[in-house]
Amino acid sequence: MTAQIIDGTAVAARIREEVKQEVEALKRDYGIVPGLATVLVGDNPASQTYVRNKQKTCQELGMASFGYHLPAEASQAEVERLVRDLSANPEVHGILVQLPLPRHLDEEGVLASVALEKDVDGFHPVNIGRLAMKGREPEFIPCTPHGVIVLLDSVGAKMEGANAVVLGRSNIVGLPTALLLIGRNATVTVCHSKTRDLPGIVRQADILVAAVGRPRMVRGDWVKPGVVVIDVGINRVEDPTTKSGYRLVGDVAFDEVKEVASAITPVPGGVGPMTIAMLMKNTLTAAKRRVSELARA
Ligand code: NDP
């Protein structure tokens, strides 16, 4: 069997196009331009690139972007003050605090100072709490995990009753992905660095989500025939044949696993493009809710 390749770039492009059209309609009908504020603290080059990409995408989709860059030594009070000011600014509909923050800052405190209705990353403790609770709805779903679910839906993967294995339990990917899969009635096993017999557990999976940050860790003989694989991992490996000297690979040995799986995401071109697309969608949703509030007032 050779797996269907799940084209995240194409799915993300469709979402971006829908968002772009709705942004135009909001401007035309209500004079409102959805706005995303990004907060970057320090000079982590990867974070700078992520923030730049998010701002660029805002421009491409006709949204406003407000970039704030604080020095690495910014204090907790300074960062929280900025986030609270943005929470009060009516032109800002979504606030994104780029993680990780420098070590001296309390991440939870900063994230908790984002207004719930502008928490387009979905990382506010209340939003994560609601995601975890039956019958509650978060204001926003975290972008990468939401992208994972949209990709599973794009190939008609049946989540209800499926054995889903999530590799990784981070606050931003593994844990919220597991919660979303539970919400879709999958039977979910979450694995981490202390899990015993990882291949044995992975072999039970009908749906496998890998988010560990270990290049090509999941091998072809770890997976069950027909499994649907979503590879969130983005890892740089040396490759002297490329101009840059490196290339990006996932947490899954794509060439091996695609021979066994029924569907699989590539890296790059799988989950990566979905993250920004879902962020833009969340920002649009925040702006649409604001329009509804104004209409009711
Ligand atoms: P973290 O480092 O925060 O979490 C990694 C998780 O993997 C942890 O739960 C860790 O376990 C677990 N883990 C590490 N090594 C092993 C192992 N050998 N066996 C089993 N579990 C292991 O990473 P993130 O969740 O932030 O990111 C994961 C990957 O996804 C990275 O490659 C990252 O670049 C990528 N990513 C991609 C995004 C996208 O848009 N496509 C967005 C965000 C991340 P423990 O908890 O015990 O430490």
Side-chain angles (χ1 to χ4, degrees):
M1 179 190 289
T2 296
Q4 173 185 358
I5 309 302
I6 306 173
D7 186 349
T9 306
V11 177
R14 274 202 297 279
I15 293 169
R16 287 162 61 129
E17 187 51 40
E18 284 163 19
V19 169
K20 192 174 173 192
Q21 286 178 15
E22 285 204 59
V23 168
E24 275 167 24
L26 268 190
K27 276 190 213 170
R28 190 184 56 232
D29 300 342
Y30 301 97
I32 285 203
V33 181
L36 174 69
T38 53
V39 177
L40 174 65
V41 187
D43 300 307
N44 178 326
S47 293
Q48 286 177 324
T49 306
Y50 293 143
V51 164
R52 236 189 346 262
N53 287 342
K54 288 163 188 170
Q55 291 171 341
K56 190 169 144 257
T57 309
C58 279
Q59 278 148 20
E60 285 165 7
L61 303 191
M63 294 186 178
S65 80
F66 309 91
Y68 293 86
H69 190 174
L70 296 179
E73 58 280 4
S75 68
Q76 184 77 21
E78 282 171 307
V79 182
E80 288 190 14
R81 194 177 319 121
L82 170 61
V83 172
R84 273 197 297 273
D85 286 350
L86 294 171
S87 291
N89 181 340
E91 285 181 32
V92 171
H93 301 97
I95 300 171
L96 178 135
V97 178
Q98 186 63 47
L99 301 178
L101 290 167
R103 280 166 174 267
H104 68 279
L105 294 173
D106 166 32
E107 183 184 291
E108 189 181 348
V110 172
L111 294 179
S113 55
V114 175
L116 260 190
E117 68 277 12
K118 299 189 181 185
D119 178 35
V120 287
D121 243 348
F123 292 152
H124 190 292
V126 170
N127 270 332
I128 292 287
R130 287 186 188 159
L131 192 67
M133 293 165 88
K134 194 168 180 191
R136 306 284 167 87
E137 290 288 335
E139 300 286 323
F140 299 98
I141 298 173
C143 303
T144 302
H146 197 182
V148 168
I149 301 295
V150 171
L151 289 180
L152 287 170
D153 278 329
S154 78
V155 289
K158 192 172 178 306
M159 287 174 253
E160 183 158 326
N163 283 337
V165 172
V166 179
L167 305 182
R169 58 175 165 180
S170 72
N171 289 339
I172 62 171
V173 190
L175 180 71
T177 302
L179 294 173
L180 288 172
L181 286 164
I182 291 172
R184 293 292 294 265
N185 295 322
T187 302
V188 180
T189 306
V190 180
C191 301
H192 45 75
S193 64
K194 307 290 184 288
T195 298
R196 276 178 282 167
D197 186 22
L198 210 51
I201 294 172
V202 170
R203 230 167 261 130
Q204 308 292 317
D206 304 309
I207 291 171
L208 174 67
V209 180
V212 287
R214 299 271 179 267
R216 293 171 50 82
M217 186 180 84
V218 177
R219 310 306 303 236
D221 61 358
W222 286 29
V223 297
K224 177 164 96 173
V227 61
V228 177
V229 180
I230 306 290
D231 189 354
V232 184
I234 302 177
N235 309 288
R236 266 186 186 204
V237 293
E238 280 184 22
D239 184 349
T241 66
T242 64
K243 213 165 103 192
S244 58
Y246 71 87
R247 72 192 156 93
L248 297 179
V249 300
D251 292 339
V252 175
F254 180 82
D255 48 338
E256 295 175 10
V257 173
K258 81 173 179 5
E259 298 304 323
V260 190
S262 61
I264 184 170
T265 56
V267 177
V271 178
M274 293 300 290
T275 299
I276 292 191
M278 301 321 290
L279 176 68
M280 296 299 128
K281 199 171 159 72
N282 279 352
T283 306
L284 170 69
T285 301
K288 282 175 24 186
R289 287 181 187 155
R290 182 78 191 122
V291 168
S292 312
E293 276 166 27
L294 290 172
R296 276 201 304 272

